[in-house]
mmCIF file of all heavy atoms in Angstrom:
data_model
loop_
_atom_site.group_PDB
_atom_site.id
_atom_site.type_symbol
_atom_site.label_atom_id
_atom_site.label_comp_id
_atom_site.label_asym_id
_atom_site.label_seq_id
_atom_site.Cartn_x
_atom_site.Cartn_y
_atom_site.Cartn_z
ATOM 1 N N SER Y 103 207.758 -53.209 94.035
ATOM 2 C CA SER Y 103 208.942 -54.001 94.345
ATOM 3 C C SER Y 103 210.180 -53.446 93.633
ATOM 4 O O SER Y 103 211.279 -53.414 94.215
ATOM 5 C CB SER Y 103 208.700 -55.454 93.944
ATOM 6 O OG SER Y 103 209.823 -56.240 94.175
ATOM 7 N N LEU Y 104 210.008 -53.007 92.397
ATOM 8 C CA LEU Y 104 211.133 -52.411 91.664
ATOM 9 C C LEU Y 104 211.585 -51.097 92.302
ATOM 10 O O LEU Y 104 212.790 -50.819 92.366
ATOM 11 C CB LEU Y 104 210.754 -52.184 90.201
ATOM 12 C CG LEU Y 104 210.644 -53.440 89.334
ATOM 13 C CD1 LEU Y 104 210.042 -53.101 87.985
ATOM 14 C CD2 LEU Y 104 211.995 -54.106 89.183
ATOM 15 N N ILE Y 105 210.662 -50.303 92.791
ATOM 16 C CA ILE Y 105 211.023 -49.039 93.453
ATOM 17 C C ILE Y 105 211.791 -49.311 94.735
ATOM 18 O O ILE Y 105 212.811 -48.663 95.015
ATOM 19 C CB ILE Y 105 209.759 -48.198 93.719
ATOM 20 C CG1 ILE Y 105 209.201 -47.672 92.394
ATOM 21 C CG2 ILE Y 105 210.045 -47.047 94.677
ATOM 22 C CD1 ILE Y 105 207.839 -47.035 92.508
ATOM 23 N N VAL Y 106 211.335 -50.283 95.520
ATOM 24 C CA VAL Y 106 212.040 -50.622 96.762
ATOM 25 C C VAL Y 106 213.440 -51.139 96.458
ATOM 26 O O VAL Y 106 214.414 -50.781 97.126
ATOM 27 C CB VAL Y 106 211.230 -51.651 97.583
ATOM 28 C CG1 VAL Y 106 212.046 -52.222 98.735
ATOM 29 C CG2 VAL Y 106 209.954 -51.021 98.103
ATOM 30 N N THR Y 107 213.551 -51.961 95.424
ATOM 31 C CA THR Y 107 214.870 -52.466 95.040
ATOM 32 C C THR Y 107 215.771 -51.328 94.583
ATOM 33 O O THR Y 107 216.957 -51.294 94.920
ATOM 34 C CB THR Y 107 214.732 -53.511 93.913
ATOM 35 O OG1 THR Y 107 213.865 -54.543 94.363
ATOM 36 C CG2 THR Y 107 216.068 -54.110 93.534
ATOM 37 N N GLY Y 108 215.229 -50.386 93.829
ATOM 38 C CA GLY Y 108 216.018 -49.237 93.398
ATOM 39 C C GLY Y 108 216.509 -48.407 94.570
ATOM 40 O O GLY Y 108 217.648 -47.919 94.564
ATOM 41 N N LEU Y 109 215.686 -48.262 95.585
ATOM 42 C CA LEU Y 109 216.100 -47.515 96.772
ATOM 43 C C LEU Y 109 217.179 -48.261 97.551
ATOM 44 O O LEU Y 109 218.077 -47.641 98.134
ATOM 45 C CB LEU Y 109 214.894 -47.236 97.674
ATOM 46 C CG LEU Y 109 213.865 -46.254 97.117
ATOM 47 C CD1 LEU Y 109 212.662 -46.176 98.039
ATOM 48 C CD2 LEU Y 109 214.483 -44.885 96.911
ATOM 49 N N LEU Y 110 217.105 -49.579 97.568
ATOM 50 C CA LEU Y 110 218.118 -50.369 98.288
ATOM 51 C C LEU Y 110 219.472 -50.353 97.574
ATOM 52 O O LEU Y 110 220.510 -50.485 98.208
ATOM 53 C CB LEU Y 110 217.643 -51.809 98.478
ATOM 54 C CG LEU Y 110 216.543 -52.025 99.511
ATOM 55 C CD1 LEU Y 110 216.061 -53.462 99.477
ATOM 56 C CD2 LEU Y 110 217.041 -51.681 100.906
ATOM 57 N N PHE Y 111 219.450 -50.236 96.250
ATOM 58 C CA PHE Y 111 220.695 -50.236 95.482
ATOM 59 C C PHE Y 111 221.206 -48.823 95.193
ATOM 60 O O PHE Y 111 222.105 -48.648 94.388
ATOM 61 C CB PHE Y 111 220.517 -51.003 94.167
ATOM 62 C CG PHE Y 111 220.609 -52.492 94.324
ATOM 63 C CD1 PHE Y 111 219.470 -53.262 94.482
ATOM 64 C CD2 PHE Y 111 221.841 -53.119 94.331
ATOM 65 C CE1 PHE Y 111 219.555 -54.629 94.616
ATOM 66 C CE2 PHE Y 111 221.936 -54.492 94.472
ATOM 67 C CZ PHE Y 111 220.792 -55.250 94.624
ATOM 68 N N ASP Y 112 220.641 -47.828 95.820
ATOM 69 C CA ASP Y 112 221.083 -46.448 95.638
ATOM 70 C C ASP Y 112 222.516 -46.314 96.171
ATOM 71 O O ASP Y 112 222.789 -46.601 97.329
ATOM 72 C CB ASP Y 112 220.145 -45.502 96.391
ATOM 73 C CG ASP Y 112 220.473 -44.048 96.123
ATOM 74 O OD1 ASP Y 112 221.195 -43.783 95.144
ATOM 75 O OD2 ASP Y 112 219.997 -43.200 96.891
ATOM 76 N N PRO Y 113 223.486 -45.866 95.319
ATOM 77 C CA PRO Y 113 224.876 -45.788 95.787
ATOM 78 C C PRO Y 113 225.101 -44.695 96.836
ATOM 79 O O PRO Y 113 226.054 -44.780 97.613
ATOM 80 C CB PRO Y 113 225.665 -45.492 94.515
ATOM 81 C CG PRO Y 113 224.689 -44.943 93.551
ATOM 82 C CD PRO Y 113 223.348 -45.495 93.927
ATOM 83 N N GLU Y 114 224.254 -43.701 96.884
ATOM 84 C CA GLU Y 114 224.433 -42.626 97.859
ATOM 85 C C GLU Y 114 223.792 -42.948 99.207
ATOM 86 O O GLU Y 114 223.943 -42.198 100.153
ATOM 87 C CB GLU Y 114 223.856 -41.330 97.307
ATOM 88 C CG GLU Y 114 224.603 -40.845 96.069
ATOM 89 C CD GLU Y 114 223.999 -39.572 95.522
ATOM 90 O OE1 GLU Y 114 223.084 -39.022 96.168
ATOM 91 O OE2 GLU Y 114 224.449 -39.132 94.466
ATOM 92 N N ALA Y 115 223.044 -44.047 99.282
ATOM 93 C CA ALA Y 115 222.407 -44.415 100.544
ATOM 94 C C ALA Y 115 223.469 -44.907 101.518
ATOM 95 O O ALA Y 115 224.442 -45.564 101.136
ATOM 96 C CB ALA Y 115 221.381 -45.517 100.308
ATOM 97 N N PRO Y 116 223.316 -44.585 102.798
ATOM 98 C CA PRO Y 116 224.303 -45.060 103.775
ATOM 99 C C PRO Y 116 224.244 -46.575 103.911
ATOM 100 O O PRO Y 116 223.191 -47.184 103.776
ATOM 101 C CB PRO Y 116 223.880 -44.376 105.071
ATOM 102 C CG PRO Y 116 222.454 -43.994 104.873
ATOM 103 C CD PRO Y 116 222.265 -43.788 103.412
ATOM 104 N N GLN Y 117 225.394 -47.153 104.112
ATOM 105 C CA GLN Y 117 225.479 -48.608 104.251
ATOM 106 C C GLN Y 117 225.114 -48.993 105.686
ATOM 107 O O GLN Y 117 225.647 -48.455 106.643
ATOM 108 C CB GLN Y 117 226.905 -49.078 103.923
ATOM 109 C CG GLN Y 117 227.318 -48.753 102.503
ATOM 110 C CD GLN Y 117 226.438 -49.444 101.472
ATOM 111 O OE1 GLN Y 117 226.065 -50.596 101.667
ATOM 112 N NE2 GLN Y 117 226.114 -48.745 100.403
ATOM 113 N N TYR Y 118 224.196 -49.925 105.810
ATOM 114 C CA TYR Y 118 223.696 -50.349 107.118
ATOM 115 C C TYR Y 118 224.204 -51.739 107.473
ATOM 116 O O TYR Y 118 223.433 -52.656 107.661
ATOM 117 C CB TYR Y 118 222.169 -50.372 107.134
ATOM 118 C CG TYR Y 118 221.558 -49.039 106.915
ATOM 119 C CD1 TYR Y 118 220.901 -48.743 105.727
ATOM 120 C CD2 TYR Y 118 221.620 -48.053 107.894
ATOM 121 C CE1 TYR Y 118 220.322 -47.515 105.531
ATOM 122 C CE2 TYR Y 118 221.040 -46.824 107.690
ATOM 123 C CZ TYR Y 118 220.390 -46.556 106.509
ATOM 124 O OH TYR Y 118 219.819 -45.343 106.309
ATOM 125 N N SER Y 119 225.439 -51.921 107.537
ATOM 126 C CA SER Y 119 226.081 -53.175 107.935
ATOM 127 C C SER Y 119 225.776 -54.311 106.971
ATOM 128 O O SER Y 119 225.527 -54.108 105.806
ATOM 129 C CB SER Y 119 225.707 -53.531 109.377
ATOM 130 O OG SER Y 119 224.368 -53.969 109.443
ATOM 131 N N ASP Y 120 225.788 -55.513 107.504
ATOM 132 C CA ASP Y 120 225.633 -56.710 106.669
ATOM 133 C C ASP Y 120 224.189 -56.960 106.222
ATOM 134 O O ASP Y 120 223.956 -57.706 105.280
ATOM 135 C CB ASP Y 120 226.127 -57.937 107.432
ATOM 136 C CG ASP Y 120 227.610 -57.844 107.741
ATOM 137 O OD1 ASP Y 120 228.319 -57.185 106.959
ATOM 138 O OD2 ASP Y 120 228.028 -58.425 108.750
ATOM 139 N N TYR Y 121 223.247 -56.362 106.876
ATOM 140 C CA TYR Y 121 221.845 -56.636 106.554
ATOM 141 C C TYR Y 121 221.427 -56.076 105.198
ATOM 142 O O TYR Y 121 220.486 -56.558 104.593
ATOM 143 C CB TYR Y 121 220.923 -56.065 107.633
ATOM 144 C CG TYR Y 121 221.099 -56.751 108.964
ATOM 145 C CD1 TYR Y 121 221.625 -56.059 110.050
ATOM 146 C CD2 TYR Y 121 220.763 -58.083 109.124
ATOM 147 C CE1 TYR Y 121 221.791 -56.683 111.264
ATOM 148 C CE2 TYR Y 121 220.930 -58.714 110.337
ATOM 149 C CZ TYR Y 121 221.449 -58.007 111.408
ATOM 150 O OH TYR Y 121 221.606 -58.623 112.598
ATOM 151 N N ILE Y 122 222.097 -55.045 104.737
ATOM 152 C CA ILE Y 122 221.712 -54.435 103.461
ATOM 153 C C ILE Y 122 221.888 -55.416 102.310
ATOM 154 O O ILE Y 122 221.086 -55.432 101.373
ATOM 155 C CB ILE Y 122 222.479 -53.107 103.217
ATOM 156 C CG1 ILE Y 122 221.843 -52.300 102.063
ATOM 157 C CG2 ILE Y 122 223.916 -53.368 102.854
ATOM 158 C CD1 ILE Y 122 220.572 -51.659 102.443
ATOM 159 N N TRP Y 123 222.912 -56.280 102.358
ATOM 160 C CA TRP Y 123 223.120 -57.253 101.291
ATOM 161 C C TRP Y 123 222.026 -58.322 101.306
ATOM 162 O O TRP Y 123 221.599 -58.782 100.248
ATOM 163 C CB TRP Y 123 224.507 -57.874 101.387
ATOM 164 C CG TRP Y 123 225.550 -56.859 101.058
ATOM 165 C CD1 TRP Y 123 226.381 -56.206 101.915
ATOM 166 C CD2 TRP Y 123 225.822 -56.347 99.758
ATOM 167 N NE1 TRP Y 123 227.166 -55.311 101.248
ATOM 168 C CE2 TRP Y 123 226.847 -55.377 99.898
ATOM 169 C CE3 TRP Y 123 225.322 -56.586 98.494
ATOM 170 C CZ2 TRP Y 123 227.358 -54.665 98.832
ATOM 171 C CZ3 TRP Y 123 225.843 -55.879 97.429
ATOM 172 C CH2 TRP Y 123 226.845 -54.928 97.605
ATOM 173 N N TRP Y 124 221.562 -58.691 102.501
ATOM 174 C CA TRP Y 124 220.449 -59.642 102.581
ATOM 175 C C TRP Y 124 219.172 -59.015 102.018
ATOM 176 O O TRP Y 124 218.412 -59.668 101.290
ATOM 177 C CB TRP Y 124 220.208 -60.078 104.031
ATOM 178 C CG TRP Y 124 221.234 -61.035 104.514
ATOM 179 C CD1 TRP Y 124 222.307 -60.751 105.307
ATOM 180 C CD2 TRP Y 124 221.298 -62.417 104.216
ATOM 181 N NE1 TRP Y 124 223.040 -61.877 105.527
ATOM 182 C CE2 TRP Y 124 222.429 -62.932 104.857
ATOM 183 C CE3 TRP Y 124 220.506 -63.291 103.466
ATOM 184 C CZ2 TRP Y 124 222.797 -64.258 104.779
ATOM 185 C CZ3 TRP Y 124 220.873 -64.615 103.395
ATOM 186 C CH2 TRP Y 124 222.007 -65.093 104.041
ATOM 187 N N LEU Y 125 218.931 -57.753 102.342
ATOM 188 C CA LEU Y 125 217.740 -57.072 101.826
ATOM 189 C C LEU Y 125 217.800 -56.897 100.313
ATOM 190 O O LEU Y 125 216.799 -57.056 99.615
ATOM 191 C CB LEU Y 125 217.578 -55.713 102.503
ATOM 192 C CG LEU Y 125 217.166 -55.732 103.970
ATOM 193 C CD1 LEU Y 125 217.173 -54.319 104.540
ATOM 194 C CD2 LEU Y 125 215.800 -56.357 104.122
ATOM 195 N N ARG Y 126 218.998 -56.577 99.804
ATOM 196 C CA ARG Y 126 219.146 -56.443 98.351
ATOM 197 C C ARG Y 126 218.900 -57.774 97.649
ATOM 198 O O ARG Y 126 218.212 -57.835 96.626
ATOM 199 C CB ARG Y 126 220.539 -55.925 98.017
ATOM 200 C CG ARG Y 126 220.734 -54.469 98.357
ATOM 201 C CD ARG Y 126 222.149 -54.020 98.077
ATOM 202 N NE ARG Y 126 222.316 -52.602 98.370
ATOM 203 C CZ ARG Y 126 223.477 -51.991 98.392
ATOM 204 N NH1 ARG Y 126 224.602 -52.662 98.153
ATOM 205 N NH2 ARG Y 126 223.550 -50.710 98.662
ATOM 206 N N GLY Y 127 219.423 -58.839 98.182
ATOM 207 C CA GLY Y 127 219.211 -60.168 97.594
ATOM 208 C C GLY Y 127 217.754 -60.588 97.663
ATOM 209 O O GLY Y 127 217.195 -61.139 96.702
ATOM 210 N N LEU Y 128 217.112 -60.306 98.800
ATOM 211 C CA LEU Y 128 215.701 -60.649 98.956
ATOM 212 C C LEU Y 128 214.831 -59.843 97.999
ATOM 213 O O LEU Y 128 213.933 -60.400 97.352
ATOM 214 C CB LEU Y 128 215.267 -60.395 100.407
ATOM 215 C CG LEU Y 128 213.828 -60.730 100.743
ATOM 216 C CD1 LEU Y 128 213.584 -62.224 100.603
ATOM 217 C CD2 LEU Y 128 213.511 -60.267 102.152
ATOM 218 N N SER Y 129 215.109 -58.556 97.865
ATOM 219 C CA SER Y 129 214.300 -57.734 96.959
ATOM 220 C C SER Y 129 214.517 -58.130 95.503
ATOM 221 O O SER Y 129 213.574 -58.130 94.705
ATOM 222 C CB SER Y 129 214.603 -56.249 97.157
ATOM 223 O OG SER Y 129 215.922 -55.963 96.749
ATOM 224 N N PHE Y 130 215.738 -58.494 95.137
ATOM 225 C CA PHE Y 130 216.006 -58.957 93.773
ATOM 226 C C PHE Y 130 215.247 -60.256 93.495
ATOM 227 O O PHE Y 130 214.658 -60.434 92.429
ATOM 228 C CB PHE Y 130 217.513 -59.140 93.581
ATOM 229 C CG PHE Y 130 217.903 -59.439 92.172
ATOM 230 C CD1 PHE Y 130 217.826 -58.464 91.198
ATOM 231 C CD2 PHE Y 130 218.330 -60.706 91.812
ATOM 232 C CE1 PHE Y 130 218.174 -58.737 89.890
ATOM 233 C CE2 PHE Y 130 218.671 -60.995 90.517
ATOM 234 C CZ PHE Y 130 218.588 -59.999 89.550
ATOM 235 N N THR Y 131 215.221 -61.164 94.464
ATOM 236 C CA THR Y 131 214.487 -62.432 94.322
ATOM 237 C C THR Y 131 212.984 -62.170 94.202
ATOM 238 O O THR Y 131 212.298 -62.800 93.383
ATOM 239 C CB THR Y 131 214.770 -63.349 95.519
ATOM 240 O OG1 THR Y 131 216.180 -63.502 95.662
ATOM 241 C CG2 THR Y 131 214.114 -64.699 95.354
ATOM 242 N N ILE Y 132 212.466 -61.240 95.019
ATOM 243 C CA ILE Y 132 211.039 -60.905 94.951
ATOM 244 C C ILE Y 132 210.688 -60.311 93.589
ATOM 245 O O ILE Y 132 209.630 -60.607 93.019
ATOM 246 C CB ILE Y 132 210.661 -59.950 96.105
ATOM 247 C CG1 ILE Y 132 210.695 -60.713 97.430
ATOM 248 C CG2 ILE Y 132 209.298 -59.313 95.881
ATOM 249 C CD1 ILE Y 132 210.502 -59.858 98.651
ATOM 250 N N ASN Y 133 211.572 -59.491 93.023
ATOM 251 C CA ASN Y 133 211.331 -58.932 91.686
ATOM 252 C C ASN Y 133 211.240 -60.030 90.632
ATOM 253 O O ASN Y 133 210.375 -59.986 89.757
ATOM 254 C CB ASN Y 133 212.435 -57.948 91.305
ATOM 255 C CG ASN Y 133 212.284 -56.631 91.999
ATOM 256 O OD1 ASN Y 133 211.187 -56.246 92.360
ATOM 257 N ND2 ASN Y 133 213.388 -55.938 92.209
ATOM 258 N N ILE Y 134 212.131 -60.989 90.703
ATOM 259 C CA ILE Y 134 212.109 -62.088 89.730
ATOM 260 C C ILE Y 134 210.822 -62.896 89.879
ATOM 261 O O ILE Y 134 210.170 -63.234 88.886
ATOM 262 C CB ILE Y 134 213.358 -62.983 89.895
ATOM 263 C CG1 ILE Y 134 214.599 -62.215 89.452
ATOM 264 C CG2 ILE Y 134 213.210 -64.274 89.093
ATOM 265 C CD1 ILE Y 134 215.892 -62.928 89.742
ATOM 266 N N LEU Y 135 210.416 -63.184 91.120
ATOM 267 C CA LEU Y 135 209.185 -63.947 91.349
ATOM 268 C C LEU Y 135 207.949 -63.170 90.887
ATOM 269 O O LEU Y 135 207.029 -63.757 90.297
ATOM 270 C CB LEU Y 135 209.062 -64.316 92.823
ATOM 271 C CG LEU Y 135 210.085 -65.334 93.344
ATOM 272 C CD1 LEU Y 135 209.939 -65.518 94.848
ATOM 273 C CD2 LEU Y 135 209.933 -66.663 92.626
ATOM 274 N N CYS Y 136 207.927 -61.867 91.125
ATOM 275 C CA CYS Y 136 206.801 -61.042 90.661
ATOM 276 C C CYS Y 136 206.741 -61.001 89.138
ATOM 277 O O CYS Y 136 205.658 -61.045 88.546
ATOM 278 C CB CYS Y 136 206.914 -59.624 91.205
ATOM 279 S SG CYS Y 136 206.470 -59.465 92.926
ATOM 280 N N PHE Y 137 207.871 -60.933 88.483
ATOM 281 C CA PHE Y 137 207.903 -60.908 87.024
ATOM 282 C C PHE Y 137 207.413 -62.235 86.450
ATOM 283 O O PHE Y 137 206.633 -62.256 85.495
ATOM 284 C CB PHE Y 137 209.329 -60.588 86.539
ATOM 285 C CG PHE Y 137 209.402 -60.353 85.069
ATOM 286 C CD1 PHE Y 137 208.846 -59.209 84.512
ATOM 287 C CD2 PHE Y 137 210.015 -61.264 84.242
ATOM 288 C CE1 PHE Y 137 208.907 -58.994 83.147
ATOM 289 C CE2 PHE Y 137 210.083 -61.058 82.877
ATOM 290 C CZ PHE Y 137 209.524 -59.915 82.327
ATOM 291 N N VAL Y 138 207.835 -63.351 87.048
ATOM 292 C CA VAL Y 138 207.353 -64.668 86.601
ATOM 293 C C VAL Y 138 205.852 -64.782 86.847
ATOM 294 O O VAL Y 138 205.104 -65.295 86.011
ATOM 295 C CB VAL Y 138 208.130 -65.798 87.320
ATOM 296 C CG1 VAL Y 138 207.500 -67.144 87.075
ATOM 297 C CG2 VAL Y 138 209.586 -65.793 86.864
ATOM 298 N N TRP Y 139 205.386 -64.286 87.997
ATOM 299 C CA TRP Y 139 203.963 -64.302 88.333
ATOM 300 C C TRP Y 139 203.161 -63.500 87.318
ATOM 301 O O TRP Y 139 202.068 -63.891 86.912
ATOM 302 C CB TRP Y 139 203.822 -63.740 89.737
ATOM 303 C CG TRP Y 139 202.458 -63.715 90.338
ATOM 304 C CD1 TRP Y 139 201.508 -64.702 90.294
ATOM 305 C CD2 TRP Y 139 201.894 -62.657 91.109
ATOM 306 N NE1 TRP Y 139 200.404 -64.317 90.991
ATOM 307 C CE2 TRP Y 139 200.605 -63.067 91.507
ATOM 308 C CE3 TRP Y 139 202.361 -61.423 91.516
ATOM 309 C CZ2 TRP Y 139 199.781 -62.278 92.277
ATOM 310 C CZ3 TRP Y 139 201.529 -60.643 92.301
ATOM 311 C CH2 TRP Y 139 200.264 -61.059 92.668
ATOM 312 N N LEU Y 140 203.718 -62.380 86.870
ATOM 313 C CA LEU Y 140 203.052 -61.551 85.873
ATOM 314 C C LEU Y 140 203.015 -62.246 84.507
ATOM 315 O O LEU Y 140 202.016 -62.178 83.793
ATOM 316 C CB LEU Y 140 203.761 -60.201 85.768
ATOM 317 C CG LEU Y 140 203.154 -59.167 84.840
ATOM 318 C CD1 LEU Y 140 201.788 -58.741 85.353
ATOM 319 C CD2 LEU Y 140 204.061 -57.972 84.725
ATOM 320 N N LEU Y 141 204.084 -62.936 84.142
ATOM 321 C CA LEU Y 141 204.122 -63.627 82.854
ATOM 322 C C LEU Y 141 203.173 -64.818 82.810
ATOM 323 O O LEU Y 141 202.667 -65.182 81.742
ATOM 324 C CB LEU Y 141 205.543 -64.087 82.537
ATOM 325 C CG LEU Y 141 206.537 -62.983 82.188
ATOM 326 C CD1 LEU Y 141 207.915 -63.574 81.950
ATOM 327 C CD2 LEU Y 141 206.076 -62.200 80.970
#
Side-chain angles (χ1 to χ4, degrees):
S103 178
L104 288 171
I105 290 170
V106 169
T107 303
L109 291 174
L110 287 173
F111 280 95
D112 186 16
E114 296 179 6
Q117 299 298 321
Y118 297 109
S119 73
D120 297 332
Y121 294 113
I122 194 74
W123 291 105
W124 285 101
L125 289 175
R126 287 177 178 170
L128 181 65
S129 67
F130 187 71
T131 306
I132 289 173
N133 284 333
I134 291 172
L135 292 175
C136 284
F137 188 70
V138 170
W139 183 43
L140 184 65
L141 289 178

